Amino acid sequence: MNDLAKNLVVWLVLAAVLLSVFNSFSPPPTDNSLGYSDFVVDVQNERVSSVIIEGLIIEGERRDGTKFRTVLPTIGDQGLMDDLLNHNVKIVAREPEAPSLISQLLVAAFPILLILGIFMFFMRQMQGGGGGKGGPMSFGKSKAKLLTGDQINTTFADVAGVDEAKEDVGELVEFLSDPSKFQRLGGRIPKGVLMVGPPGTGKTLLAKAIAGEAQVPFFSISGSDFVEMFVGVGASRVRDMFEQAKRQAPCIIFIDEIDAVGRHRGGGYGGGNDEREQTLNQLLVEMDGFEGTEGVIVIAATNRPDVLDKALLRPGRFDRQVYVGLPDIRGREQILRVHSRKVPLEDSVELNVLARGTPGFSGADLANLVNEAALFAARGDRRMVSMAEFEKARDKIMMGAERRSMVMSDKEKINTAYHEAGHAIIGRLVPEHDPVHKVTIIPRGRALGVTQYLPEEDRYSMSKRQIFGQLCSLFGGRIAEELVGGFEGVTTGAQNDIERATQMARNMVTKWGLTERMGPVLYGEDESQAPGGGNTHYSEDTSREIDEEVRIILDSAYVKSKALLEEHRDVLESMKDALIEYETIDAEQVDDLMKRIPVRPPRHWDDDDKGGISNNETEISTDPPDAIGTVVEGA
């Protein structure tokens, strides 16, 4: 029951009590009341047989047996008794009933009680409706949300793709369930666990799963909830939160985005933020002020561990750091299975293929992928989700929604088709390149066309041969335009191609040591300098040599890519025609074109199409209006 409902119930009960009190002092209603003048007339006409007088109330009975009731005027009637006696009316007098002591006290105290009730009501509202949250008097109260053990349904079965992280925190569950197992051997469970990892990898979900497995209370709060405009409020909230946690022990305190309050002290303008630093100091004291045997474990999450204060990370506070990284191919398949448990899937859906085609996706990205696929199926009035919906969902997440309403001239379509065909052909011909999966000239987001590659497995490092192949494929779109329209016909669509290729070649020279001339030496910039400064660590002669080496690498890739396209000029024309006809061609159609055989009709994803990622996109340029765009290689 929320605070509004509780207040409503309190006021309804108070109204009922007041109504009953007022009713106790009001005379009971009657249907046989009689005016006093009519009563006198009845007496004088001898129609009244008896009366009962009680104070000012006169109740009587007529000679025909009917009852009546009347009220004696406050001014009195001196001749009433003579009239009653003269007309043979039987008179019975009763002593007026005195009000009880309780009634008198209620009447006397009612105004005071009413004032106290109004005062208490406003005090409760100022304190946040009785819940201690949200009111001006609750500044120092903790804003942590408490979930009891029976309210948490999340378990380790709901967390996938982070097996190593689950192993690291698994002993926390054992400690919360059976502390004596560790204390018997003198072991001490970590007081704090810091979960580090990119956004969307499941840090909050994992913390909640620990509480769900151990069936213990779970306090959840964000780091920004501690900091207010008034100095000392955050420290008071930290104290209140730990006091509540100790009363609920064993329990878990989860602080999300702890970098909002745990940054390095003294690092802000003017010596730092006093409120934030006092809050951090109080947090440090509280984490050092209770023993591990109390069963209070603090779990914090951040994707910025580099900005945290060193005192926060020392042993005795956050003793353990658990890295929750992006899932690998098996982890992505497990996550897809978790999120698709409540989604009806067709037999054509292969989650392992989807996992292979989504490298770099976090758990949140994969959950969004499943949800978008279900929405696509619902829009199409389908009863089950097929591979087609997953393909559409992935393309939408990566590249944006299709822009079929966008009007492109025939010249732009042909130029885009040549551009994308150049990327696809070079991607198929250079060694150790990801296989081409799909080529399309359907605009998506800012992209006029897209070439997708399907990685065969997750890649954690790249060889010089693979990098050189990527350089060649990046130049494929520009070279295709040059072969068709000459150097004067090249558009600005290759702007991002050139940027990416240049940066990749410069990294080969200055960071990765992949050139014999410059050797395995780091020629980096001083990142500690102010943004835009870029203070280098090498001489002008070295800088000139680096530029020359970068130019040599790029020229080699350009020449290699141009030679391959000139050799396969007929394939370039055939692929351009296929793209103009079908707008989208898949890997099998690309195979037909590379083999120089007639292109088979496009097949539907509902059959057995496979997923892919790693794109070359032809994006809309914001430069000259006739620009096709830039090539962007996907995640």
Side-chain angles (χ1 to χ4, degrees), residues 256-388:
D256 198 9
E257 304 297 344
I258 194 174
D259 51 277
V261 69
R263 289 175 175 266
H264 294 295
R265 287 169 289 184
Y269 295 104
N273 184 306
D274 287 340
E275 162 64 358
R276 183 182 58 78
E277 292 189 2
Q278 285 195 22
T279 305
L280 175 58
N281 292 337
Q282 187 63 43
L283 180 61
L284 296 176
V285 171
E286 291 292 339
M287 291 193 66
D288 219 18
F290 64 89
E291 298 296 332
T293 55
E294 292 187 3
V296 179
I297 297 178
V298 181
I299 301 178
T302 182
N303 50 20
R304 295 289 309 278
D306 54 302
V307 303
L308 296 180
D309 194 277
K310 293 182 179 179
L312 195 62
L313 303 179
R314 75 158 177 81
R317 289 181 179 134
F318 284 106
D319 306 83
R320 180 177 302 178
Q321 291 191 23
V322 177
Y323 182 73
V324 186
L326 295 173
D328 57 14
I329 184 171
R330 285 192 298 270
R332 292 194 297 274
E333 181 179 355
Q334 295 171 2
I335 293 173
L336 287 170
R337 294 191 185 280
V338 169
H339 290 296
S340 61
R341 285 185 299 198
K342 298 181 180 180
V343 178
L345 303 179
E346 289 188 356
D347 295 336
S348 63
V349 177
E350 299 181 46
L351 297 181
N352 59 335
V353 175
L354 288 173
R356 186 162 64 95
T358 51
F361 273 42
S362 66
D365 294 329
L366 295 172
N368 189 34
L369 172 66
V370 175
N371 183 64
E372 288 289 345
L375 293 179
F376 273 118
R379 288 180 206 153
D381 295 327
R382 299 176 63 94
R383 300 180 61 183
M384 304 183 75
V385 182
S386 66
M387 198 70 175

Side-chain angles (χ1 to χ4, degrees), residues 514-531:
L514 295 179
T515 58
E516 296 181 358
R517 179 180 178 183
M518 304 307 297
V521 180
L522 175 64
Y523 302 95
E525 294 183 348
D526 188 357
E527 298 180 354
S528 65
Q529 300 298 319

Side-chain angles (χ1 to χ4, degrees), residues 152-229:
I152 304 175
N153 299 321
T154 306
T155 64
F156 283 157
D158 301 309
V159 183
V162 287
D163 294 338
E164 293 82 2
K166 284 199 292 187
E167 291 179 5
D168 285 343
V169 299
E171 65 183 29
L172 299 180
V173 178
E174 296 185 34
F175 172 79
L176 292 170
S177 302
D178 184 16
S180 61
K181 176 180 178 181
F182 297 86
Q183 298 166 358
R184 190 166 51 244
L185 299 177
R188 181 178 59 84
I189 203 69
K191 292 181 180 179
V193 176
L194 181 65
M195 293 187 179
V196 180
T201 51
K203 299 182 289 293
T204 302
L205 185 66
L206 183 58
K208 189 176 291 186
I210 297 173
E213 289 283 345
Q215 289 293 296
V216 296
F218 182 78
F219 289 88
S220 176
I221 192 171
S222 173
S224 60
D225 289 334
F226 291 112
V227 183
E228 288 284 356
M229 62 181 294

Side-chain angles (χ1 to χ4, degrees), residues 308-505:
L308 296 180
D309 194 277
K310 293 182 179 179
L312 195 62
L313 303 179
R314 75 158 177 81
R317 289 181 179 134
F318 284 106
D319 306 83
R320 180 177 302 178
Q321 291 191 23
V322 177
Y323 182 73
V324 186
L326 295 173
D328 57 14
I329 184 171
R330 285 192 298 270
R332 292 194 297 274
E333 181 179 355
Q334 295 171 2
I335 293 173
L336 287 170
R337 294 191 185 280
V338 169
H339 290 296
S340 61
R341 285 185 299 198
K342 298 181 180 180
V343 178
L345 303 179
E346 289 188 356
D347 295 336
S348 63
V349 177
E350 299 181 46
L351 297 181
N352 59 335
V353 175
L354 288 173
R356 186 162 64 95
T358 51
F361 273 42
S362 66
D365 294 329
L366 295 172
N368 189 34
L369 172 66
V370 175
N371 183 64
E372 288 289 345
L375 293 179
F376 273 118
R379 288 180 206 153
D381 295 327
R382 299 176 63 94
R383 300 180 61 183
M384 304 183 75
V385 182
S386 66
M387 198 70 175
E389 282 75 40
F390 279 103
E391 170 72 4
K392 292 178 183 178
R394 194 198 56 219
D395 289 347
K396 179 181 179 181
I397 292 173
M398 293 173 52
M399 300 168 288
E402 291 184 356
R403 301 175 60 191
R404 292 187 176 273
S405 60
M406 182 178 179
V407 179
M408 293 177 58
S409 65
D410 292 339
K411 181 180 179 181
E412 286 181 327
K413 285 184 178 179
I414 293 174
N415 201 38
T416 303
Y418 276 121
H419 192 104
E420 297 305 325
H423 285 310
I425 293 172
I426 300 301
R428 285 295 304 268
L429 294 176
V430 294
E432 298 189 24
H433 198 285
D434 291 332
V436 178
H437 162 64
K438 181 201 294 186
V439 186
T440 179
I441 59 172
I442 298 176
R444 285 181 174 273
R446 297 184 64 248
L448 292 180
V450 179
T451 300
Q452 288 188 346
Y453 304 105
L454 176 65
E456 295 180 341
E457 57 186 10
D458 289 346
R459 184 187 298 120
Y460 303 101
S461 62
M462 297 179 64
S463 66
K464 182 178 179 180
R465 187 181 297 107
Q466 290 173 328
I467 298 173
F468 188 78
Q470 286 196 8
L471 292 175
C472 293
S473 65
L474 284 171
F475 286 134
R478 174 188 168 93
I479 294 173
E481 295 179 15
E482 183 178 346
L483 291 179
V484 174
F487 187 78
E488 299 297 328
V490 176
T491 69
T492 58
Q495 173 186 345
N496 190 253
D497 297 340
I498 297 172
E499 291 178 0
R500 289 179 56 83
T502 303
Q503 185 61 49
M504 193 176 296

